[in-house]
Amino acid sequence: QVQVVESGGGLVRPGGSLRLSCAASTFSFSSYDMSWHRQAPGKERELVASITSASASSSTNYADSIKGRFTISRDNTKNTVYLQMNSLKPDDTAVYYCKAARRGYYSWGQGTQVTVSS
């Protein structure tokens, strides 16, 4: 059982940066696989980035659309996963969701809005 809460969304101009945070309420945070997803109006929810539970060798995966611009990371001492978003584009506008998963169990956050507009 785990609850996750996203924060850090907002309005930013093209080319700007934001850092999203996802705080998890669990004593076993390091054992969870964490990921960021996003959903734009009229679009299917898509995986943006993921990071595995292995702190010693956490592997990451990124969607092609954001590769080289976004970075996912985790701080197991703070029970938090981050999404650093650089060089933002209008197409990045969406609600961003955090997901925690472990052994078939998963939880979604409530989402945080990111709007990229001039």
Side-chain angles (χ1 to χ4, degrees), residues 2 4 22-34 51-53 73-82 98 100-102:
V2 60
V4 295
C22 173
S25 60
T26 176
F27 291 117
S28 303
F29 175 75
S30 62
S31 69
Y32 280 81
D33 295 326
M34 304 296 296
I51 185 166
T52 65
S53 63
S73 62
R74 66 192 298 161
D75 187 340
N76 292 327
T77 67
K78 294 182 170 63
N79 285 12
T80 301
V81 63
Y82 304 96
C98 180
R102 186 182 69 166

Side-chain angles (χ1 to χ4, degrees), residues 31-64:
S31 69
Y32 280 81
D33 295 326
M34 304 296 296
S35 58
W36 286 96
H37 305 244
R38 68 184 182 185
Q39 188 167 24
K43 298 279 190 175
E44 191 83 11
R45 186 174 298 188
E46 64 173 339
L47 174 67
V48 175
S50 63
I51 185 166
T52 65
S53 63
S55 60
S57 57
S58 297
S59 62
T60 57
N61 189 47
Y62 297 96
D64 289 339

Side-chain angles (χ1 to χ4, degrees), residues 63-107:
D64 289 339
S65 59
I66 58 87
K67 194 171 297 181
R69 299 187 296 119
F70 293 7
T71 302
I72 188 171
S73 62
R74 66 192 298 161
D75 187 340
N76 292 327
T77 67
K78 294 182 170 63
N79 285 12
T80 301
V81 63
Y82 304 96
L83 185 68
Q84 179 65 48
M85 310 165 69
N86 299 324
S87 301
L88 283 162
K89 305 174 180 179
D91 286 348
D92 296 321
T93 296
V95 178
Y96 285 71
Y97 298 91
C98 180
K99 180 184 177 182
R102 186 182 69 166
R103 302 188 68 182
Y105 297 89
Y106 61 91
S107 297

